[in-house]
Amino acid sequence: MPPSSDAPVLAAGVDELAAEVAEGLTRPAKRLPSKYLYDALGSQLFEAICELPWYRITRGERALLARERATITAPLGNRASVIELGGGNGEKLAILIEALVERGARVETHLVDISPTALDLSARTLGGYPRVSIRCHAAAYLEGLGEAVREVDGDHPCLALFLGSNIGNLGPAESNRFLRAIRSRLRRGDMLLLGADLVKSEEDLILAYDDPLGVTAAFNANLLVRLNRELDADFDLAEFDYRAVWNAGASRVETYLVSRSEQTVCLPRAGCCIRLAAGEAIWTESSHKYERAEIADLGERAGFARREQWVEPESKFALTLFDVR
């Protein structure tokens, strides 16, 4: 059913969550916004996922950053401005910061994330480097990017980072709109470093998103824990299974929480109740995978010019450096 007209007044910071959750769960095909996976516990669980042997994205990206750090940071000179969108614990950004610090550069760093936990982790990782200033923006990506660009030194180019294959969480049309929006906030001469996971075997992809230890399942189930806590929902975690599938036609891994039985769940602070049939799924996340040429084309259609692209062969992960034209 749609949200009721007498829904309770929602506290600041909860109203957007409630509205988006109610809209997603009252669709014929139920879904939850993946951005809400990253509360304090969710952020910690994702850090654990990144260390799993079956999830090779993070290790592959770190290897590329370490190998190409001098080339990536060379255009920034000795007064560098770096903006990272959704940087997790800051370890990948630290690889580039080290290259800048080693050559004596002063670095102005802006961290953008909706997760206070992620911002705190990243700031602590970077806090020990000399000549590095850190500014945290607790905001959605585009809002925080706009704030950061307004604050950076206008006489020097800045480097924006969107790593970890976060672009894969967006559909093709969303990715295009998002990159265009990034392009509109950056200035001529700035750069974007984009991380994207490449297509690989179905077996490898499913192991990465449905690991034998159940960490990724817990990461998804924690979203229901969050809704119980913040929206007074009454999800029973024992009544849901986790499922990851490879949709080859759409080139994406899809993750779901699947109802084990017919049930009704109420979310009082979102003003709705939902009915779930046995076997009915709630779509929690999509992770799109790309071919190398598709990544370059995605950036170029958004108004960027490709400078360089690197691929880590074992993990099949790509970093692409774009210039703002």
Side-chain angles (χ1 to χ4, degrees), residues 24-323:
L25 290 180
T26 54
R27 295 181 182 188
K30 296 176 175 58
R31 67 186 308 162
L32 289 168
S34 61
K35 65 182 180 181
Y36 294 120
L37 290 162
Y38 298 92
D39 63 353
L41 179 55
S43 295
Q44 296 283 0
L45 286 168
F46 183 71
E47 293 303 319
I49 289 170
C50 291
E51 300 303 321
L52 294 172
W54 308 279
Y55 190 85
R56 300 177 182 175
I57 288 175
T58 305
R59 289 189 299 282
E61 191 168 37
R62 286 175 183 158
L64 283 179
L65 289 167
R67 192 183 80 195
E68 304 297 340
R69 62 182 194 156
T71 303
I72 293 168
T73 59
L76 295 176
N78 290 324
R79 292 187 62 185
S81 297
V82 183
I83 304 169
E84 184 168 29
L85 309 179
N89 63 14
E91 289 182 355
K92 288 178 286 188
L93 175 55
I95 295 170
L96 301 182
I97 296 295
E98 285 176 0
L100 289 163
V101 169
E102 285 172 6
R103 70 167 189 247
R106 291 189 174 275
V107 187
E108 179 183 355
T109 304
H110 292 261
L111 310 174
V112 179
D113 207 299
I114 61 170
S115 168
T117 301
L119 289 172
D120 181 61
L121 285 170
S122 189
R124 280 189 284 167
T125 299
L126 303 173
Y129 289 100
R131 300 184 301 280
V132 175
S133 65
I134 302 168
R135 170 88 160 84
C136 293
H137 302 265
Y141 292 146
L142 296 176
E143 177 188 349
L145 175 62
E147 291 175 0
V149 171
R150 288 191 292 271
E151 294 177 14
V152 300
D153 186 341
D155 295 329
H156 300 273
C158 75
L159 171 66
L161 309 177
F162 195 49
L163 302 177
S165 200
N166 285 331
I167 192 70
N169 292 332
L170 305 175
E174 291 176 295
S175 297
N176 184 261
R177 288 194 298 270
F178 182 70
L179 289 179
R180 285 182 181 275
I182 289 178
R183 166 63 186 85
S184 71
R185 286 159 174 79
L186 295 174
R187 309 153 305 175
R188 187 177 297 274
D190 290 341
M191 296 176 294
L192 171 68
L193 184 64
L194 180 66
D197 200 21
L198 302 180
V199 175
K200 58 205 74 176
S201 74
E202 180 174 359
E203 180 183 6
D204 284 347
L205 288 166
I206 295 303
L207 275 172
Y209 288 87
D210 192 6
D211 62 275
L213 291 179
V215 182
T216 314
F219 173 64
N220 279 262
N222 180 60
L223 180 51
L224 302 186
V225 175
R226 178 176 187 175
L227 299 184
N228 285 350
R229 181 180 67 248
E230 297 187 25
L231 299 181
D232 295 334
D234 57 0
F235 285 100
D236 181 351
L237 270 64
E239 289 298 317
F240 290 88
D241 291 316
Y242 172 72
R243 180 189 302 158
V245 299
W246 169 240
N247 182 336
S251 194
R252 68 190 180 207
V253 178
E254 300 168 356
T255 61
Y256 298 91
L257 293 168
V258 183
S259 178
R260 290 184 172 181
S261 62
E262 184 176 342
Q263 58 179 307
T264 298
V265 178
C266 289
L267 301 89
R269 300 196 75 189
C272 68
C273 292
I274 60 167
R275 293 182 63 82
L276 290 159
E280 186 172 0
I282 300 173
W283 194 351
T284 56
E285 191 170 22
S286 295
S287 298
H288 289 79
K289 308 301 173 183
Y290 295 91
E291 302 292 348
R292 293 182 60 172
E294 289 178 323
I295 303 166
D297 181 62
L298 189 65
E300 288 167 0
R301 284 188 287 113
F304 294 95
R306 187 185 74 167
R307 179 186 285 254
E308 294 199 50
Q309 186 180 73
W310 306 277
V311 173
E312 201 287 313
E314 183 178 353
S315 63
K316 295 185 179 178
F317 188 88
L319 283 176
T320 308
L321 184 63
F322 293 100
D323 289 317

Side-chain angles (χ1 to χ4, degrees), residues 1-14:
M1 66 180 69
S4 65
S5 59
D6 59 348
V9 176
L10 299 169
V14 179

